[in-house]
Amino acid sequence: MKRFIGFVKKEFYHIFRDKRSLFILFGMPIAQILLFGFAITNEINNVEIAIFDQSNDVETQKIINKIKSSPYFNVENQINKESDIEKEFKKGKIKAVLIFERDFSKNLQTKNVAVVQAITDATEPNVANTIANYTSAIIQNYQSQKKQPKTNLVKVEVQSRMFYNPELKSVFNFVPGVMTVILMLVSAMMTSISITREKEIGTMEILLVSPIKPFQVIIGKVFPYIFLSIINAIIILLLGFFVFKMPINGSLLLLSFESILFIISALSLGILISTISDSQQTAMMLSLMGLMLPVIILSGFIFPINSMPLPMQIISNIIPAKWFIIIVKAIMLKGVGIQYIWKETLILIGMTTLFITISIKKYKIRLE
Amino acid sequence: MSISVQNISKSYKSIQAIDDVSFEVNEGELFGLIGPDGAGKTTIFRILTTLLLANEGNAKVLEFDVKQDYKAIRNSVGYMPGKFSLYQDLTVEENLTFFATIFGTTIEENYDLIEDIYVQIEPFKKRRAGALSGGMKQKLALCCALIHAPKVLFLDEPTTGVDPVSRKEFWQMLKRLQQKGITILVSTPYMDEASLCDRIALIQKGKILKIDSPSNIISKYDKVIYDIQSKNTHGLIHDLKNYSSHYSVYAFGEFIHYIDTNQNFNPNDLQDYLQQKNHTQIIIKPAQTTIEDVFMDL
């Protein structure tokens, strides 16, 4: 045990004395979360929109005036034919078209329901999403002003449709996503690099020719990174919660358990990488190409899995990050308990066990 | 017997690193593996320190088999690999404490063993190992290898890249350690260090050419060597190689070492020959045989 503590102490010296790895450890998560966060929640201002007013009556004029007077939108032009909508989008200047149905006022008075359709250019999904939200907000605001105690309840329905990207994901996508990427990066890359560094500078030879056991070396290497990864996860969650109002609806305990599980699976991947690479550079390339890219591309963090081609969807199943993202979203957003995510959890446990077994089997007690 | 090696062979892919190597090191002996780079010295060290498995043959360290009893060997030997193998970002003291801890001991416990060496680097104990000079690094590495009072010490080229003064000091330290009963196996490419060992094995291209004490190796060498010098060294080598009865010619420090095939060689004949070749300030005198001369002839 004394040996182990001595070893862990040495690892902490390495980490805290290497400015670069410290930066990767703590600068990266904060920078990433802020970058992703602000890139996604960008405010919209002076967005060019077009209006296709099929009834052109008092009510629609009032709403249009209200929209025109808001700082968010510039009404670029009026459209008169339905077929012009697509043309306008293709020109690329306008980002949304508001369509008022025929007989808008009449419907509002007789049926109490009238429909405004907001069609947005979702090639920029976040802008599209924001536009749709803003339009509904303006119209709802108009509605509540109009509502008087004695009149009947009137309702203007806003139907928003996302053009070009029907699978628009929530803004809250990025906190679980960034958390996954960071934990993967810190855990797998940093461990694999720190183990291969010992090989590269030759200290592994001395460690092997000493009474310290291989598993003590591995656990000693991994232990500081479990600790640091947990701190990272906490930083990300705090930033998400306070800066971006990301809710944590489910149990914190469950979330911590799942995070530690994922950290351990990433660490075991890091050990696995270190057993097959001889230099820090190889380890870094393997972690970046072999882990980071799949995590970013195939985990559903940036690209939705169900819009991928089938082979990619199948491959995505072997990526632990995919399951972790599902779990984190379910816990944080839906607030579900273990009974809804036990399957994903079991898959993660299975993968972790597999990786650990392989890396212990592959760990060399000699130089070759 | 502290170390016994029997018919060990090892090859990496297509390269035969060592070929049928056998030798024995007695308890308390300072044994040197002498040979140029790539001779297979490091491979022998790695097999004996259980880091590599031999393709053929057996080896024992402290009566433990290098293959089966590798754990026992790892507990009781000290190893200093060829390249500087300490943590550059840890201070002198932290390095030493770390190695003491993983060997389950403390600096205080075996301080008497490392004292001679450690006092020299102690003023720099708060300095990072990476900022030490080459000689200091070697001293620290030796301290780290010694901190658990090993019975056998393996030193793979400990003086490579170290200045002559530090090299001399280093060997004095080894002598002192030997007096404390530690068996030492040391390798070096420097022939002048060979004479400081009790016994040496001359090794080249994976084969051991000779095992004996340095003085025996020199005294058993029967050829007469001459130191030759003239103003034009380059031309001198060329002309000596064209001399009909030459056996071997090679540069040795400021002189050329010359050996003749003829038992009744007369230096005056050679002097005449060289004068004909327009050499001036010619010196020809019998030379002291060194390990390097023996090595060159093997």
Side-chain angles (χ1 to χ4, degrees), chain B residues 23-235:
Chain B
F23 66 92
E24 282 179 340
V25 180
N26 300 318
E27 210 178 310
E29 196 172 20
L30 176 54
F31 191 95
L33 288 179
I34 317 292
D37 289 345
K41 302 187 297 286
T42 299
T43 305
I44 294 174
F45 272 96
R46 288 183 169 168
I47 289 171
L48 290 176
T49 51
T50 75
L51 287 169
L52 287 179
L53 288 176
N55 300 125
E56 281 164 61
N58 296 309
K60 281 187 174 160
V61 175
L62 296 165
E63 303 304 320
F64 296 117
D65 185 87
V66 288
K67 193 174 174 193
Q68 268 101 43
D69 312 319
Y70 71 94
K71 281 182 183 161
I73 294 177
R74 289 177 182 192
N75 272 315
S76 39
V77 303
Y79 174 42
M80 193 174 143
K83 45 181 175 173
F84 181 63
S85 292
L86 294 170
Y87 298 102
Q88 315 265 336
D89 52 343
L90 261 55
T91 65
V92 170
E93 202 178 18
E94 284 160 355
N95 264 302
L96 200 54
T97 313
F98 171 72
F99 285 105
T101 318
I102 65 165
F103 278 97
T105 178
T106 57
I107 299 180
E108 292 74 32
E109 206 172 312
N110 292 312
Y111 189 73
D112 57 318
L113 198 58
I114 57 163
E115 192 178 0
D116 292 346
I117 312 161
Y118 190 59
V119 286
Q120 301 178 43
I121 47 174
E122 206 165 13
F124 312 103
K125 66 181 182 182
K126 297 281 175 213
R127 192 181 284 188
R128 303 242 169 123
L132 292 176
S133 69
M136 292 282 184
K137 280 180 183 174
Q138 296 311 101
K139 282 171 197 159
L140 175 58
L142 185 61
C143 282
C144 290
L146 277 172
I147 192 66
H148 60 292
K151 295 189 187 73
V152 180
L153 195 55
F154 292 96
L155 307 171
D156 189 6
E157 298 202 4
T159 52
T160 301
V162 174
D163 65 275
V165 178
S166 296
R167 270 171 56 189
K168 208 172 164 195
E169 280 177 8
F170 196 88
W171 277 89
Q172 285 165 357
M173 280 177 226
L174 293 191
K175 284 283 182 196
R176 279 201 293 272
L177 289 173
Q178 191 195 2
Q179 281 158 17
K180 289 178 179 164
I182 299 174
T183 309
I184 302 172
L185 180 66
V186 60
S187 74
T188 178
Y190 301 119
M191 302 293 164
D192 57 327
E193 290 179 345
S195 55
L196 301 166
C197 300
D198 294 339
R199 282 194 306 147
I200 54 173
L202 299 180
I203 174 167
Q204 193 171 33
K205 290 181 182 146
K207 281 187 195 282
I208 286 189
L209 307 170
K210 211 165 226 165
I211 303 176
D212 211 333
S213 69
S215 51
N216 276 347
I217 285 181
I218 289 169
S219 64
K220 280 180 190 163
Y221 190 72
D222 49 4
K223 298 191 181 72
V224 185
I225 302 165
Y226 289 91
D227 276 337
I228 301 183
Q229 202 180 35
S230 86
K231 234 184 156 190
N232 174 5
T233 309
H234 182 71

Side-chain angles (χ1 to χ4, degrees), chain A residues 14 17 198 205 365 368, chain B residues 10 74 79 87 89 94:
Chain A
H14 288 322
R17 283 179 190 174
E198 301 255 2
E205 276 181 58
I365 53 160
E368 49 162 31
Chain B
K10 171 80 190 170
R74 289 177 182 192
Y79 174 42
Y87 298 102
D89 52 343
E94 284 160 355

